[in-house]
Amino acid sequence: ESDTASEISFQCHRHKKTPSIGSHSSDMASVSSVSGSVLSVYSGDFGSVDAQGTVEFALDYDEKNREFQVHVSQCKDLAVVDEKKGRSDPYVKTYLLPDKARMGKRKTSVKKRTVNPIYNEVLRYKIEKMVLLIQKLNLSVWHNDPLGRNSFLGEIEIDLASWDWSNRKLNWYPLKPRSLSAVNGVDHRGVMSLSIKYVPPGSLGKWPKNPPSGEVHIWVKDVKDLLQLRPSGVDSFVKCYVLPDTSKKSYQKTRVIKRNTNPVFNHTIVYDGFHTEDLKDACVELTVWDHEKLTNHFLGGIRLGLGTGLSYGISVDWMDSTQEEVAFWQEMMLAANEWIEGLLPLRSL
């Protein structure tokens, strides 16, 4: 009998340094439902409130210190996020686009229980004026949630090439809904070098049947040009799931590579429990994260599958592989027992 979405569970084990085949038997763990991506809770904007209100700020460039300064004064008449309690806990965040790396993020303190927060804070960027003039300033206001489910309250975007730098006065600006450039602002997140291989059941011969079930081998080699979150670099690691299984048995990760935007992992993961027909319904999700004590920051990821939008007949949002990712997966399906090499761009998922 073929597996169903609620029955399937891929077992995994891992090898470091060099790829090798291994297998083990273990009980199949059931997955109660086809789960969404593990990343869904990191999408950032959980708010459904309409943008309203205004923000008062001023811009300046300190030639002596080569510093761009955003003087955030206050906001007025912001949207109410928690209607039951009639409260918003707003803060202001700025990015320089198109470079939306977190190194380019600045934010004010959080003001609690107010839709008219007063900040009087200066957000500073050490940046050359020539570089600054090819950027856009994206200033947005957010409600701070203790669980990280922050709500978007409005934004304004300014083309710094056409900004009047003689104007250092505080001015009021209306907050607007999300712009396309902010939503799509993170373009380049780095490139992952990896190889994958499918070993069909029994294809290695010998008695008893070897391997007893199909195996997918994933060799994560390195990632180049990651977003730099801090001046010291980034402490990155890679997570792996075989969706729809998001159980602990599906979850694997590499070690953390510290202070490096071009980390070399050289880490191989082997998943068994695959039937050949599962390859059209499963999806290997590899995501890169910056490791911090309190919370890990998502840097980018890839999803390897057929990108059909369906898994075992059920519509799922994570079966969304790009053309490059689909082609890579298809090549693996057509070349059993062969390592297929790939160089794939990380995306926001």
Side-chain angles (χ1 to χ4, degrees), residues 5 133 223 272 290 304:
L133 292 180
V223 181
D272 59 22
D290 173 55
L304 306 176

Side-chain angles (χ1 to χ4, degrees), residues 297-325:
H297 295 297
F298 172 67
L299 298 175
I302 59 175
R303 291 200 182 115
L304 306 176
L306 292 184
T308 59
L310 297 173
S311 175
Y312 300 97
I314 298 171
S315 178
V316 291
D317 59 2
W318 46 259
M319 191 62 95
D320 65 347
S321 298
T322 64
Q323 286 183 324
E324 287 175 281
E325 293 164 353

Side-chain angles (χ1 to χ4, degrees), residues 59-346:
L59 305 183
D60 194 11
Y61 187 79
D62 182 339
E63 301 278 358
K64 183 181 176 182
N65 294 310
R66 296 177 178 175
E67 187 177 74
F68 174 49
Q69 301 172 346
V70 184
H71 299 250
V72 181
S73 174
Q74 59 184 319
C75 299
K76 272 190 180 171
D77 303 323
L78 295 175
V80 175
V81 174
D82 190 336
E83 291 187 2
K84 285 183 180 178
K85 297 179 181 176
R87 70 180 280 182
S88 294
D89 298 342
Y91 66 96
V92 175
K93 180 167 68 172
T94 58
Y95 282 108
L96 291 176
L97 300 174
D99 177 17
K100 205 176 172 186
R102 287 179 195 254
M103 185 181 174
K105 178 177 78 171
R106 303 287 185 272
K107 59 183 182 180
T108 67
S109 57
V110 176
K111 302 300 178 184
K112 296 197 171 182
R113 297 181 180 83
T114 178
V115 293
N116 300 298
I118 296 173
Y119 299 102
N120 290 326
E121 296 178 38
V122 180
L123 307 178
R124 304 170 188 273
Y125 292 83
K126 287 284 187 182
I127 186 171
E128 296 290 339
K129 185 78 173 280
M130 286 177 64
V131 178
L132 183 66
L133 292 180
I134 58 171
Q135 310 277 317
K136 289 182 180 179
L137 172 69
N138 178 267
L139 183 149
S140 54
V141 185
W142 295 77
H143 161 73
N144 181 70
D145 181 89
L147 299 176
R149 297 176 172 237
N150 299 336
S151 299
F152 175 78
L153 300 179
E155 72 173 6
I156 179 169
E157 202 163 278
I158 291 174
D159 188 342
L160 297 175
S162 56
W163 180 254
D164 176 10
W165 292 98
S166 65
N167 173 20
R168 296 185 178 89
K169 294 179 181 176
L170 289 166
N171 288 299
W172 287 98
Y173 302 88
L175 290 167
K176 298 177 181 179
R178 293 240 63 169
S179 71
L180 279 175
S181 60
V183 174
N184 302 320
V186 183
D187 296 319
H188 185 72
R189 289 175 170 266
V191 180
M192 180 181 290
S193 172
L194 74 162
S195 291
I196 56 174
K197 174 171 67 173
Y198 177 59
V199 181
S203 63
L204 301 180
K206 299 180 183 177
W207 188 89
K209 193 164 92 165
N210 183 26
S213 65
E215 297 176 348
V216 171
H217 297 229
I218 304 146
W219 182 8
V220 180
K221 297 177 182 178
D222 60 58
V223 181
K224 290 204 165 48
D225 204 18
L226 281 174
L227 296 179
Q228 185 165 327
L229 306 193
R230 296 175 291 279
S232 61
V234 59
D235 299 343
S236 63
F237 67 98
V238 177
K239 287 184 189 180
C240 184
Y241 282 92
V242 178
L243 304 173
D245 188 354
T246 56
S247 69
K248 285 186 178 180
K249 288 183 178 178
S250 172
Y251 172 62
Q252 287 293 308
K253 66 177 181 177
T254 68
R255 68 191 186 284
V256 176
I257 305 294
K258 293 193 173 181
R259 295 182 293 279
N260 198 330
T261 55
N262 300 294
V264 176
F265 296 103
N266 203 22
H267 184 107
T268 307
I269 302 166
V270 178
Y271 286 90
D272 59 22
F274 267 94
H275 297 282
T276 303
E277 60 268 24
D278 291 326
L279 296 176
K280 70 181 190 301
D281 290 297
C283 173
V284 171
E285 181 179 81
L286 293 160
T287 53
V288 187
W289 298 78
D290 173 55
H291 176 69
E292 287 198 78
K293 284 182 181 178
L294 296 178
T295 181
N296 296 320
H297 295 297
F298 172 67
L299 298 175
I302 59 175
R303 291 200 182 115
L304 306 176
L306 292 184
T308 59
L310 297 173
S311 175
Y312 300 97
I314 298 171
S315 178
V316 291
D317 59 2
W318 46 259
M319 191 62 95
D320 65 347
S321 298
T322 64
Q323 286 183 324
E324 287 175 281
E325 293 164 353
V326 170
F328 188 48
W329 190 250
Q330 286 176 329
E331 193 177 350
M332 180 201 72
M333 291 172 69
L334 294 171
N337 293 311
E338 289 184 28
W339 284 106
I340 308 300
E341 294 187 16
L343 200 63
L344 294 170
L346 300 177

